[in-house]
Amino acid sequence: MQIFDLRFNPKLKEERSFASFIYEPENIYEKKLGSLYTVGELKNGLPGSHKFLDQINAVIKKNYYKISFKSPEKALKECLKKTNSYLGEELKKDNVQWLGNLNFCALCVKDMGLNFTKTGELKVILIRGGQINDIGKGLDSQEIDPYPLRIFFNVVSGRLADNDIILALTKETFCFFESQNILTKIALCQEITSKKIKEIFPAELFSKGEGAKISGLCFLIIAKKKPSAGKIHLSNVIFEKTEVLFSLPKIKKISVFIQKIIKTISLWKGEILSFSYNIYKLPDKISKKAKTKLKKFNPVKEFKNLFSKKKLAGLSLKSFIQFIEKFRRKPDTKRGLIFVSLFFFLILAGSFVFKATNQIKEKSDKQAEINLKQIAEQELLKANKLEKIKAPEALFELKEEILGFKPEKFLLFDDNFYFYNPLSPNLYEYNLQNSSGVLSEAPKNITSASYLSGSLLFFSEPDTILSFEKNSWQENKIEAIDSGAELPLFFSYASNLYFFNDKCEIIKYHYLGNLKWGLPQKWVKNKTDSCQNHGTMAIDNSIWILNENNISRYYGGYLQETVNFSIYPKGENIIKIETKSALPYFYFLDPPNNRLIILEKTGAIFKQFQSEKFNDLNDFIISDDGKTIWLLNGFTIYRIEM
């Protein structure tokens, strides 16, 4: 293997740490598992946080090269369990700075077999025969489990070919490489050498312009079937052995009073055994007076009297010893019965104490689990920039008796809000300035709505376009496409109409003028590029389709890119995506979690807003500048100012 470890402006951002480690097998047992390479990045760290990456590497190496493992895949999977446990222990120590900021991958290479895992935003790229493949893509959608904590999940396995190139890159580096076509330059190289690396990465590339703002790492491995003349290591390998310390829950001590009693009784254990023996071996002949006393003697009554609440309240070690001395002077039989009763009482008291102690321990363990889960969840929410709003601003509230329907969708046009429901032909217009509304009735039920310059457009299934301008309606027909699919989602862009049907097809109607449109056309050119799940769609100068864990961008009828994202908590049922060409964000509505999600168009989380008041979310609108968001929640309209 030939290795290049490239660092770009590593000291540019003090809050960011990088680390890469190269472990080559040293003995016959380690050689069975091959080489181990790790790459890590810690964002928003504190001074000295680079040591945390060293500790993770130490845990991985320690658990990877174990004699008991016979395959690299099993060894790496076991590493994930141990590493997750280690990170869980770090949470118990209140080390939470890394949550949401850790990007890490581990790669194992043995006889051209590759196994790797990753977490966070690191990219793992395979270049083979000039083709660039994101082989870590399948691991991008994994979410952190807060308890029991799981940061690392699955392992990807495969076979390498001769001269394959594997790259592990930090996100910032990857984005810059894409913008400069550096990955393409690497893919076109017939052979990667130190000289070629200097040509691809000239010094001025990262000292001027946008490159000077980049701080990141690129770890490059070239697979060789035959051993190469030498391995190139451009960074120092730092190995630091770390032991993971586990702290047991604190157990409350037994009360001092009980300890003193046990200690005192232990001094008299000979007496207790002796008197117990005397009771067991009563003489055959005893006096009538003794028999009378024995008949009158009630050990249960004596026991209750001895340990009455009144006596126990003032019991001290000194009085207890005096009590023992008093009964030592009584006849053997009675004294023995008293001590036996006392002996059994102490057994019962001891069992009660230890039972109570175990209950305290179990309660403590359970509370520790709850506390750990809460800490993990709080840090994950913080890392995912979730803001909880206790009292969101209610702009105004609609009256059901006036509308005659429950609004499910709304639009904003010329400072007026328009509300409608797909099951009703009614349209309610509400003016913000005078706080009054007007109810209009469309010719047909309104399925969905959009904008056309100077007016509003509404679609009524299966083939009717309704325009609404100056309180008047105009009805136009379009030719329905013969696909057997419904057209529930309707958008207008540059006066053309776009429908996203339940077969995951995008249908375009070209605008002819005078509120007339041409014949329907399937807009996506390549059928294999169609979305796999019917989600929702947004339009700026491209068409964006929301899938389960990513967003697909189409332009000119072709798939251009896929933006992956990971949100915590995971979106259960995102019903709408919105964006604007002038804004660098996506906006999602997630009603089951009472929240609005804002992502950057790179897939990074920008902000999340959540409130208990958002308990019936149906729709939202964004202002042109993106600074104001209106939410339709039941009959109430809330406003969020950014």
Side-chain angles (χ1 to χ4, degrees), residues 327-424:
F327 277 92
R328 288 186 73 230
R329 293 191 291 270
K330 288 183 177 288
D332 287 350
T333 303
K334 186 174 182 179
R335 185 175 59 181
L337 288 172
I338 293 295
F339 270 103
V340 168
S341 301
L342 178 61
F343 178 70
F344 282 112
F345 166 75
L346 289 173
I347 291 175
L348 290 172
S351 64
F352 172 77
V353 169
F354 285 109
K355 183 178 180 181
T357 303
N358 287 333
Q359 289 176 346
I360 292 170
K361 180 181 179 298
E362 289 174 4
K363 187 176 180 181
S364 176
D365 289 345
K366 189 174 182 180
Q367 188 61 43
E369 290 181 5
I370 294 171
N371 292 341
L372 179 58
K373 183 177 181 179
Q374 289 175 345
I375 291 171
E377 286 182 343
Q378 287 171 4
E379 290 302 319
L380 285 171
L381 294 176
K382 183 179 177 182
N384 282 266
K385 301 176 182 178
L386 188 141
E387 179 181 332
K388 294 189 176 182
I389 308 173
K390 291 184 179 180
E393 179 190 1
L395 190 61
F396 61 90
E397 191 164 346
L398 302 169
K399 303 295 182 182
E400 185 176 5
E401 57 270 21
I402 296 176
L403 272 67
F405 63 90
K406 181 182 178 182
E408 288 193 6
K409 302 290 180 182
F410 73 139
L411 301 92
L412 179 61
F413 184 73
D414 287 344
D415 293 328
N416 293 326
F417 285 103
Y418 295 85
F419 300 89
Y420 66 96
N421 184 305
L423 300 177
S424 170

Side-chain angles (χ1 to χ4, degrees), residues 184-236:
T184 304
K185 293 177 183 178
I186 295 174
L188 294 175
C189 290
Q190 293 184 352
E191 185 179 3
I192 300 293
T193 61
S194 298
K195 183 179 179 181
K196 201 67 180 177
I197 288 291
K198 291 179 181 179
E199 292 177 5
I200 297 173
F201 302 101
E204 60 271 16
L205 182 63
F206 293 94
S207 60
K208 298 178 182 179
E210 291 299 317
K213 302 175 185 178
I214 299 301
S215 179
L217 178 150
C218 171
F219 191 82
L220 189 151
I221 304 172
I222 303 173
K224 297 287 185 182
K225 284 187 177 180
K226 295 181 180 180
S228 57
K231 294 173 185 175
I232 302 174
H233 302 274
L234 301 181
S235 65
N236 294 325

Side-chain angles (χ1 to χ4, degrees), residues 600-619:
E600 297 177 9
K601 286 187 176 177
T602 60
I605 295 175
F606 177 73
K607 198 77 173 176
Q608 297 189 73
F609 294 103
Q610 187 180 56
S611 175
E612 292 181 358
K613 300 286 186 180
F614 300 160
N615 55 6
D616 192 13
L617 291 173
N618 288 295
D619 201 2

Side-chain angles (χ1 to χ4, degrees), residues 117 128 179 211 228 239 244 274 282 339 358 361 380 432 475 497 552:
T117 186
R128 174 181 292 174
S179 66
S228 57
F239 176 74
V244 182
S274 173
L282 286 174
F339 270 103
N358 287 333
K361 180 181 179 298
L380 285 171
L432 278 174
E475 186 175 342
L497 304 183
S552 302

Side-chain angles (χ1 to χ4, degrees), residues 7 81 87 101 120 135 254 261 448 451 458 463 470-471 547 604 632:
R7 309 289 178 94
K81 296 178 184 178
L87 294 173
N101 295 313
I135 58 175
I254 301 173
I261 290 179
S448 54
Y451 302 93
F458 299 91
D463 57 1
K470 297 180 180 180
N471 297 324
N547 300 305
L632 174 60

